[in-house]
Amino acid sequence: MSGNLLELSDIHVSYGRAEVLHGISMSMKPGSIVTVIGANGAGKSTLLNAIMGIVPSSGTIVYDGAPVPRSVEGRVAAGLCLVPEKRELFATMSVEDNIELGGFLRNASERAETREEVYARFPRLAERRKQLAGTLSGGERQMLALGRALMSRPRLLLLDEPSLGLAPKIVIDILNIVSELRKTGVSILLVEQNARAALEIADEGYLVELGEVRLSGPASEMAVNPALMESYLGTH
Ligand code: ATP
């Protein structure tokens, strides 16, 4: 037993004839935040979709010491949950109904209990529970996407660019929430363009370029890596 929650070995994904992931391997410890950084088109979303089973992949995915279930539904039941880049909320449904949908695999009493935990964590959503999701601000929409994900009681949250399109202050709020979630025992695989902020809250980091892992290591070391600094971290 490796003690890892997730282990990817030699993951390849193709769209038609074009291979976009060329043998990705990575691992994550339970209770950790691992961030995947890289430019647009590097294959980060594809990697999350492969882990969730939304796109087919070759290679092996071991989750909690066993091969990951084959179907997406099986993976959700096993504790994996993806918050996609586009959030994919139901704009014409209320906040409450969107949250409820996240608990579709749970029974009524689990749903009721988790719903109250979600509202306690996101008081803004509780205030707006009757409001239509389409009328929320960008930050509130991301909170709703996270709240809906928590309804499945995940053990591993896959977050695709949670800060995308948000104002800098809201980005910090959202990443603080991600950090807080880890304290509840949820492990988080965080895809972010905002490399500096992501490395600040992560334990480990992976740089993916053109479908391959170029660099990996403790987030604190990646954050001061000169090569990364030039291309991805900007200067202070
Ligand atoms: P971004 O941050 O822009 O979403 P990314 O690192 O998440 O980038 P992916 O979205 O995984 O990258 O895309 C990787 C490559 O695969 C890109 O060249 C993209 O055009 C291609 N691609 C993604 N989805 C599909 C698809 N459904 N069909 C064909 N090609 C796709």
Side-chain angles (χ1 to χ4, degrees):
M1 286 292 286
S2 64
N4 287 323
L5 178 64
L6 184 70
E7 270 177 41
L8 309 179
S9 306
D10 201 26
I11 299 297
H12 292 252
V13 173
S14 300
Y15 294 114
R17 280 206 227 147
E19 186 178 89
V20 298
L21 295 187
H22 313 295
I24 298 251
S25 299
M26 62 175 60
S27 60
M28 78 184 277
K29 298 254 174 276
S32 64
I33 300 181
V34 172
T35 188
V36 177
I37 57 180
N40 277 328
K44 306 180 300 299
S45 301
T46 299
L47 179 64
L48 294 189
N49 287 333
I51 296 169
M52 203 62 222
I54 294 166
V55 299
S57 60
S58 68
T60 57
I61 304 177
V62 172
Y63 171 73
D64 203 13
V68 75
R70 287 180 69 86
S71 68
V72 178
E73 193 176 358
R75 294 183 196 195
V76 174
L80 279 83
C81 187
L82 170 69
V83 180
E85 181 175 313
K86 295 198 167 66
R87 332 301 200 216
E88 289 169 20
L89 300 169
F90 294 92
T92 57
M93 284 169 56
S94 67
V95 164
E96 191 161 68
D97 288 345
N98 271 278
I99 285 180
E100 207 58 25
L101 282 174
F104 73 102
L105 286 178
R106 300 290 168 187
N107 66 35
S109 77
E110 285 172 336
R111 279 206 306 277
E113 189 186 319
T114 315
R115 192 191 309 121
E116 290 321 304
E117 286 168 16
V118 168
Y119 284 140
R121 181 169 296 283
F122 299 105
R124 190 82 73 89
L125 297 182
E127 283 162 24
R128 286 158 204 261
R129 59 176 87 188
K130 300 287 176 211
Q131 196 170 318
L132 297 185
T135 64
L136 296 175
S137 72
E140 289 163 354
R141 274 207 286 275
Q142 185 57 56
M143 287 180 203
L144 179 52
L146 285 169
R148 182 181 59 183
L150 292 178
M151 286 296 289
S152 71
R153 300 197 179 198
R155 289 182 62 200
L156 173 56
L157 261 181
L158 310 172
L159 303 182
D160 198 352
E161 307 251 10
S163 74
L164 193 74
L166 301 180
K169 187 193 162 304
I170 313 290
V171 170
I172 293 168
D173 290 347
I174 293 290
L175 293 179
N176 281 339
I177 290 169
V178 172
S179 240
E180 287 295 314
L181 284 178
R182 180 255 293 273
K183 292 185 192 153
T184 67
V186 184
S187 309
I188 295 159
L189 187 56
L190 171 66
V191 160
E192 259 298 334
Q193 293 246 356
N194 204 328
R196 180 177 293 283
L199 289 170
E200 258 171 42
I201 64 162
D203 302 296
E204 302 283 328
Y206 287 83
L207 170 66
V208 173
E209 281 181 338
L210 298 174
E212 290 180 47
V213 173
R214 290 276 181 236
L215 200 65
S216 64
S220 55
E221 287 175 19
M222 302 254 311
V224 294
N225 181 297
L228 260 183
M229 219 168 246
E230 200 165 302
S231 317
Y232 295 97
L233 299 171
T235 43
H236 276 301

mmCIF file of all heavy atoms in Angstrom, residues 13-16 18-21 36-49 55 85-86 160-161 164 191-193 208 210-211, ligand 1:
data_model
loop_
_atom_site.group_PDB
_atom_site.id
_atom_site.type_symbol
_atom_site.label_atom_id
_atom_site.label_comp_id
_atom_site.label_asym_id
_atom_site.label_seq_id
_atom_site.Cartn_x
_atom_site.Cartn_y
_atom_site.Cartn_z
ATOM 1 N N VAL A 13 -4.790 10.438 -23.218
ATOM 2 C CA VAL A 13 -6.140 10.756 -23.706
ATOM 3 C C VAL A 13 -6.017 11.312 -25.116
ATOM 4 O O VAL A 13 -5.136 12.130 -25.397
ATOM 5 C CB VAL A 13 -6.845 11.815 -22.818
ATOM 6 C CG1 VAL A 13 -8.179 12.249 -23.448
ATOM 7 C CG2 VAL A 13 -7.084 11.281 -21.408
ATOM 8 N N SER A 14 -6.903 10.847 -25.993
ATOM 9 C CA SER A 14 -6.951 11.380 -27.357
ATOM 10 C C SER A 14 -8.350 11.874 -27.658
ATOM 11 O O SER A 14 -9.329 11.311 -27.177
ATOM 12 C CB SER A 14 -6.619 10.289 -28.375
ATOM 13 O OG SER A 14 -5.320 9.791 -28.126
ATOM 14 N N TYR A 15 -8.433 12.930 -28.432
ATOM 15 C CA TYR A 15 -9.704 13.355 -29.019
ATOM 16 C C TYR A 15 -9.599 12.999 -30.494
ATOM 17 O O TYR A 15 -8.802 13.618 -31.217
ATOM 18 C CB TYR A 15 -9.921 14.854 -28.851
ATOM 19 C CG TYR A 15 -10.083 15.282 -27.397
ATOM 20 C CD1 TYR A 15 -9.140 16.099 -26.776
ATOM 21 C CD2 TYR A 15 -11.191 14.874 -26.654
ATOM 22 C CE1 TYR A 15 -9.299 16.503 -25.453
ATOM 23 C CE2 TYR A 15 -11.353 15.270 -25.325
ATOM 24 C CZ TYR A 15 -10.401 16.074 -24.742
ATOM 25 O OH TYR A 15 -10.561 16.470 -23.434
ATOM 26 N N GLY A 16 -10.357 12.018 -30.943
ATOM 27 C CA GLY A 16 -10.185 11.560 -32.323
ATOM 28 C C GLY A 16 -8.761 11.048 -32.482
ATOM 29 O O GLY A 16 -8.280 10.263 -31.675
ATOM 30 N N ALA A 18 -6.099 12.985 -32.352
ATOM 31 C CA ALA A 18 -5.120 13.856 -31.679
ATOM 32 C C ALA A 18 -4.956 13.462 -30.220
ATOM 33 O O ALA A 18 -5.903 13.538 -29.436
ATOM 34 C CB ALA A 18 -5.597 15.305 -31.770
ATOM 35 N N GLU A 19 -3.742 13.025 -29.889
ATOM 36 C CA GLU A 19 -3.475 12.710 -28.484
ATOM 37 C C GLU A 19 -3.124 14.014 -27.759
ATOM 38 O O GLU A 19 -2.253 14.755 -28.202
ATOM 39 C CB GLU A 19 -2.320 11.709 -28.364
ATOM 40 C CG GLU A 19 -2.138 11.270 -26.922
ATOM 41 C CD GLU A 19 -1.035 10.244 -26.729
ATOM 42 O OE1 GLU A 19 0.117 10.650 -26.526
ATOM 43 O OE2 GLU A 19 -1.338 9.035 -26.771
ATOM 44 N N VAL A 20 -3.841 14.289 -26.627
ATOM 45 C CA VAL A 20 -3.568 15.543 -25.895
ATOM 46 C C VAL A 20 -2.906 15.292 -24.532
ATOM 47 O O VAL A 20 -2.269 16.184 -23.995
ATOM 48 C CB VAL A 20 -4.824 16.429 -25.731
ATOM 49 C CG1 VAL A 20 -5.351 16.855 -27.091
ATOM 50 C CG2 VAL A 20 -5.902 15.757 -24.928
ATOM 51 N N LEU A 21 -3.042 14.092 -23.973
ATOM 52 C CA LEU A 21 -2.263 13.738 -22.776
ATOM 53 C C LEU A 21 -1.361 12.580 -23.154
ATOM 54 O O LEU A 21 -1.829 11.550 -23.651
ATOM 55 C CB LEU A 21 -3.173 13.346 -21.599
ATOM 56 C CG LEU A 21 -4.087 14.427 -21.021
ATOM 57 C CD1 LEU A 21 -4.794 13.900 -19.755
ATOM 58 C CD2 LEU A 21 -3.333 15.710 -20.684
ATOM 59 N N VAL A 36 -2.463 21.639 -10.188
ATOM 60 C CA VAL A 36 -1.938 21.410 -11.534
ATOM 61 C C VAL A 36 -1.971 22.750 -12.250
ATOM 62 O O VAL A 36 -3.044 23.346 -12.403
ATOM 63 C CB VAL A 36 -2.789 20.380 -12.311
ATOM 64 C CG1 VAL A 36 -2.263 20.222 -13.738
ATOM 65 C CG2 VAL A 36 -2.790 19.039 -11.594
ATOM 66 N N ILE A 37 -0.790 23.231 -12.625
ATOM 67 C CA ILE A 37 -0.736 24.514 -13.308
ATOM 68 C C ILE A 37 -0.204 24.311 -14.719
ATOM 69 O O ILE A 37 0.376 23.274 -15.030
ATOM 70 C CB ILE A 37 0.132 25.532 -12.518
ATOM 71 C CG1 ILE A 37 1.545 24.991 -12.307
ATOM 72 C CG2 ILE A 37 -0.497 25.844 -11.167
ATOM 73 C CD1 ILE A 37 2.449 25.926 -11.540
ATOM 74 N N GLY A 38 -0.436 25.309 -15.552
ATOM 75 C CA GLY A 38 0.007 25.193 -16.941
ATOM 76 C C GLY A 38 -0.802 26.134 -17.808
ATOM 77 O O GLY A 38 -1.863 26.601 -17.398
ATOM 78 N N ALA A 39 -0.287 26.377 -19.004
ATOM 79 C CA ALA A 39 -0.917 27.353 -19.894
ATOM 80 C C ALA A 39 -2.242 26.834 -20.447
ATOM 81 O O ALA A 39 -2.566 25.649 -20.304
ATOM 82 C CB ALA A 39 0.036 27.668 -21.034
ATOM 83 N N ASN A 40 -2.994 27.715 -21.098
ATOM 84 C CA ASN A 40 -4.200 27.317 -21.825
ATOM 85 C C ASN A 40 -3.873 26.199 -22.789
ATOM 86 O O ASN A 40 -2.872 26.280 -23.504
ATOM 87 C CB ASN A 40 -4.712 28.485 -22.682
ATOM 88 C CG ASN A 40 -5.543 29.444 -21.872
ATOM 89 O OD1 ASN A 40 -6.216 29.038 -20.929
ATOM 90 N ND2 ASN A 40 -5.497 30.702 -22.243
ATOM 91 N N GLY A 41 -4.738 25.192 -22.802
ATOM 92 C CA GLY A 41 -4.566 24.124 -23.794
ATOM 93 C C GLY A 41 -3.545 23.072 -23.409
ATOM 94 O O GLY A 41 -3.282 22.153 -24.181
ATOM 95 N N ALA A 42 -2.958 23.174 -22.208
ATOM 96 C CA ALA A 42 -1.934 22.200 -21.791
ATOM 97 C C ALA A 42 -2.531 20.819 -21.554
ATOM 98 O O ALA A 42 -1.829 19.815 -21.594
ATOM 99 C CB ALA A 42 -1.245 22.687 -20.521
ATOM 100 N N GLY A 43 -3.844 20.792 -21.278
ATOM 101 C CA GLY A 43 -4.509 19.504 -21.041
ATOM 102 C C GLY A 43 -5.004 19.331 -19.614
ATOM 103 O O GLY A 43 -5.358 18.226 -19.197
ATOM 104 N N LYS A 44 -5.085 20.416 -18.875
ATOM 105 C CA LYS A 44 -5.464 20.334 -17.451
ATOM 106 C C LYS A 44 -6.913 19.882 -17.275
ATOM 107 O O LYS A 44 -7.199 19.006 -16.461
ATOM 108 C CB LYS A 44 -5.229 21.688 -16.757
ATOM 109 C CG LYS A 44 -3.806 22.221 -16.940
ATOM 110 C CD LYS A 44 -3.570 23.548 -16.257
ATOM 111 C CE LYS A 44 -4.464 24.690 -16.717
ATOM 112 N NZ LYS A 44 -4.344 25.058 -18.136
ATOM 113 N N SER A 45 -7.828 20.503 -18.047
ATOM 114 C CA SER A 45 -9.239 20.102 -17.928
ATOM 115 C C SER A 45 -9.423 18.661 -18.386
ATOM 116 O O SER A 45 -10.196 17.898 -17.797
ATOM 117 C CB SER A 45 -10.143 20.999 -18.790
ATOM 118 O OG SER A 45 -10.011 22.329 -18.390
ATOM 119 N N THR A 46 -8.707 18.313 -19.436
ATOM 120 C CA THR A 46 -8.782 16.937 -19.946
ATOM 121 C C THR A 46 -8.357 15.948 -18.863
ATOM 122 O O THR A 46 -8.971 14.893 -18.687
ATOM 123 C CB THR A 46 -7.889 16.792 -21.201
ATOM 124 O OG1 THR A 46 -8.371 17.692 -22.203
ATOM 125 C CG2 THR A 46 -7.888 15.381 -21.732
ATOM 126 N N LEU A 47 -7.328 16.311 -18.117
ATOM 127 C CA LEU A 47 -6.848 15.425 -17.048
ATOM 128 C C LEU A 47 -7.946 15.223 -15.996
ATOM 129 O O LEU A 47 -8.227 14.090 -15.574
ATOM 130 C CB LEU A 47 -5.587 16.028 -16.416
ATOM 131 C CG LEU A 47 -4.981 15.231 -15.275
ATOM 132 C CD1 LEU A 47 -4.483 13.873 -15.776
ATOM 133 C CD2 LEU A 47 -3.822 16.001 -14.627
ATOM 134 N N LEU A 48 -8.586 16.314 -15.578
ATOM 135 C CA LEU A 48 -9.665 16.170 -14.577
ATOM 136 C C LEU A 48 -10.806 15.332 -15.143
ATOM 137 O O LEU A 48 -11.386 14.494 -14.451
ATOM 138 C CB LEU A 48 -10.194 17.546 -14.140
ATOM 139 C CG LEU A 48 -9.235 18.452 -13.372
ATOM 140 C CD1 LEU A 48 -9.965 19.669 -12.828
ATOM 141 C CD2 LEU A 48 -8.554 17.706 -12.226
ATOM 142 N N ASN A 49 -11.140 15.586 -16.417
ATOM 143 C CA ASN A 49 -12.232 14.813 -17.030
ATOM 144 C C ASN A 49 -11.888 13.331 -17.125
ATOM 145 O O ASN A 49 -12.763 12.470 -16.987
ATOM 146 C CB ASN A 49 -12.567 15.381 -18.419
ATOM 147 C CG ASN A 49 -13.305 16.708 -18.322
ATOM 148 O OD1 ASN A 49 -13.986 16.976 -17.326
ATOM 149 N ND2 ASN A 49 -13.172 17.539 -19.330
ATOM 150 N N VAL A 55 -14.051 11.585 -19.952
ATOM 151 C CA VAL A 55 -13.414 11.223 -21.224
ATOM 152 C C VAL A 55 -12.648 9.913 -21.008
ATOM 153 O O VAL A 55 -12.112 9.690 -19.921
ATOM 154 C CB VAL A 55 -12.451 12.321 -21.776
ATOM 155 C CG1 VAL A 55 -13.173 13.616 -22.041
ATOM 156 C CG2 VAL A 55 -11.266 12.539 -20.846
ATOM 157 N N GLU A 85 -15.054 23.806 -15.082
ATOM 158 C CA GLU A 85 -14.644 25.193 -15.307
ATOM 159 C C GLU A 85 -15.847 26.102 -15.552
ATOM 160 O O GLU A 85 -15.894 27.224 -15.058
ATOM 161 C CB GLU A 85 -13.698 25.206 -16.519
ATOM 162 C CG GLU A 85 -13.164 26.555 -16.861
ATOM 163 C CD GLU A 85 -12.136 26.480 -17.993
ATOM 164 O OE1 GLU A 85 -11.236 25.629 -17.942
ATOM 165 O OE2 GLU A 85 -12.255 27.277 -18.922
ATOM 166 N N LYS A 86 -16.828 25.616 -16.285
ATOM 167 C CA LYS A 86 -17.974 26.478 -16.605
ATOM 168 C C LYS A 86 -19.042 26.446 -15.522
ATOM 169 O O LYS A 86 -20.133 26.956 -15.714
ATOM 170 C CB LYS A 86 -18.574 26.066 -17.956
ATOM 171 C CG LYS A 86 -17.613 26.292 -19.099
ATOM 172 C CD LYS A 86 -18.322 26.318 -20.433
ATOM 173 C CE LYS A 86 -17.414 26.850 -21.531
ATOM 174 N NZ LYS A 86 -16.262 25.941 -21.785
ATOM 175 N N ASP A 160 -11.808 22.742 -11.324
ATOM 176 C CA ASP A 160 -11.250 23.239 -12.579
ATOM 177 C C ASP A 160 -11.364 24.756 -12.615
ATOM 178 O O ASP A 160 -12.447 25.295 -12.821
ATOM 179 C CB ASP A 160 -11.979 22.604 -13.772
ATOM 180 C CG ASP A 160 -11.186 22.743 -15.060
ATOM 181 O OD1 ASP A 160 -10.157 23.449 -15.052
ATOM 182 O OD2 ASP A 160 -11.594 22.152 -16.074
ATOM 183 N N GLU A 161 -10.249 25.418 -12.391
ATOM 184 C CA GLU A 161 -10.154 26.880 -12.468
ATOM 185 C C GLU A 161 -11.241 27.587 -11.662
ATOM 186 O O GLU A 161 -12.007 28.372 -12.219
ATOM 187 C CB GLU A 161 -10.271 27.342 -13.933
ATOM 188 C CG GLU A 161 -9.292 26.642 -14.837
ATOM 189 C CD GLU A 161 -8.175 27.545 -15.315
ATOM 190 O OE1 GLU A 161 -8.052 28.662 -14.793
ATOM 191 O OE2 GLU A 161 -7.421 27.088 -16.168
ATOM 192 N N LEU A 164 -11.539 31.389 -12.200
ATOM 193 C CA LEU A 164 -11.650 31.939 -13.554
ATOM 194 C C LEU A 164 -12.701 33.049 -13.627
ATOM 195 O O LEU A 164 -13.846 32.860 -13.226
ATOM 196 C CB LEU A 164 -12.019 30.826 -14.538
ATOM 197 C CG LEU A 164 -11.864 31.219 -16.005
ATOM 198 C CD1 LEU A 164 -10.394 31.257 -16.380
ATOM 199 C CD2 LEU A 164 -12.601 30.236 -16.897
ATOM 200 N N VAL A 191 -6.956 22.673 -10.364
ATOM 201 C CA VAL A 191 -6.386 23.178 -11.614
ATOM 202 C C VAL A 191 -6.512 24.692 -11.606
ATOM 203 O O VAL A 191 -7.604 25.217 -11.369
ATOM 204 C CB VAL A 191 -7.129 22.566 -12.826
ATOM 205 C CG1 VAL A 191 -6.922 23.413 -14.072
ATOM 206 C CG2 VAL A 191 -6.647 21.144 -13.071
ATOM 207 N N GLU A 192 -5.415 25.384 -11.810
ATOM 208 C CA GLU A 192 -5.450 26.847 -11.730
ATOM 209 C C GLU A 192 -4.502 27.491 -12.729
ATOM 210 O O GLU A 192 -3.401 27.023 -12.939
ATOM 211 C CB GLU A 192 -5.040 27.301 -10.323
ATOM 212 C CG GLU A 192 -6.189 27.691 -9.435
ATOM 213 C CD GLU A 192 -6.993 28.869 -9.955
ATOM 214 O OE1 GLU A 192 -6.484 29.720 -10.707
ATOM 215 O OE2 GLU A 192 -8.179 28.949 -9.597
ATOM 216 N N GLN A 193 -4.953 28.585 -13.321
ATOM 217 C CA GLN A 193 -4.060 29.417 -14.138
ATOM 218 C C GLN A 193 -3.299 30.366 -13.228
ATOM 219 O O GLN A 193 -2.221 30.834 -13.547
ATOM 220 C CB GLN A 193 -4.895 30.270 -15.097
ATOM 221 C CG GLN A 193 -5.605 29.488 -16.129
ATOM 222 C CD GLN A 193 -5.072 29.787 -17.509
ATOM 223 O OE1 GLN A 193 -4.221 30.643 -17.682
ATOM 224 N NE2 GLN A 193 -5.559 29.052 -18.487
ATOM 225 N N VAL A 208 2.027 21.144 -15.993
ATOM 226 C CA VAL A 208 1.733 20.364 -17.199
ATOM 227 C C VAL A 208 1.901 21.278 -18.406
ATOM 228 O O VAL A 208 1.344 22.382 -18.443
ATOM 229 C CB VAL A 208 0.295 19.789 -17.142
ATOM 230 C CG1 VAL A 208 -0.067 19.116 -18.464
ATOM 231 C CG2 VAL A 208 0.177 18.780 -16.000
ATOM 232 N N LEU A 210 1.829 20.980 -22.698
ATOM 233 C CA LEU A 210 1.579 20.160 -23.898
ATOM 234 C C LEU A 210 1.330 18.688 -23.556
ATOM 235 O O LEU A 210 1.881 17.790 -24.175
ATOM 236 C CB LEU A 210 2.758 20.273 -24.880
ATOM 237 C CG LEU A 210 3.021 21.682 -25.413
ATOM 238 C CD1 LEU A 210 4.279 21.706 -26.258
ATOM 239 C CD2 LEU A 210 1.826 22.188 -26.236
ATOM 240 N N GLY A 211 0.500 18.475 -22.549
ATOM 241 C CA GLY A 211 0.071 17.121 -22.233
ATOM 242 C C GLY A 211 1.066 16.271 -21.483
ATOM 243 O O GLY A 211 0.899 15.049 -21.397
HETATM 244 P P1 ATP B 1 -7.790 25.679 -20.636
HETATM 245 O O1 ATP B 1 -7.228 26.270 -19.427
HETATM 246 O O2 ATP B 1 -7.781 26.597 -21.825
HETATM 247 O O3 ATP B 1 -9.109 24.957 -20.449
HETATM 248 P P2 ATP B 1 -6.492 23.150 -20.460
HETATM 249 O O4 ATP B 1 -5.085 23.042 -19.997
HETATM 250 O O5 ATP B 1 -7.561 22.809 -19.489
HETATM 251 O O6 ATP B 1 -6.736 24.564 -21.065
HETATM 252 P P3 ATP B 1 -7.750 21.274 -22.215
HETATM 253 O O7 ATP B 1 -9.052 22.013 -22.179
HETATM 254 O O8 ATP B 1 -7.653 20.000 -21.504
HETATM 255 O O9 ATP B 1 -6.582 22.232 -21.731
HETATM 256 O O10 ATP B 1 -7.353 21.054 -23.740
HETATM 257 C C1 ATP B 1 -6.190 20.325 -24.154
HETATM 258 C C2 ATP B 1 -6.199 20.212 -25.670
HETATM 259 O O11 ATP B 1 -7.262 19.349 -26.079
HETATM 260 C C3 ATP B 1 -6.416 21.516 -26.401
HETATM 261 O O12 ATP B 1 -5.603 21.516 -27.537
HETATM 262 C C4 ATP B 1 -7.881 21.478 -26.774
HETATM 263 O O13 ATP B 1 -8.121 22.217 -27.933
HETATM 264 C C5 ATP B 1 -8.123 20.005 -26.986
HETATM 265 N N1 ATP B 1 -9.501 19.611 -26.663
HETATM 266 C C6 ATP B 1 -10.126 19.799 -25.475
HETATM 267 N N2 ATP B 1 -11.378 19.283 -25.502
HETATM 268 C C7 ATP B 1 -11.550 18.756 -26.738
HETATM 269 C C8 ATP B 1 -12.614 18.072 -27.412
HETATM 270 N N3 ATP B 1 -13.763 17.818 -26.776
HETATM 271 N N4 ATP B 1 -12.418 17.709 -28.685
HETATM 272 C C9 ATP B 1 -11.249 17.943 -29.322
HETATM 273 N N5 ATP B 1 -10.195 18.566 -28.752
HETATM 274 C C10 ATP B 1 -10.331 18.978 -27.493
#
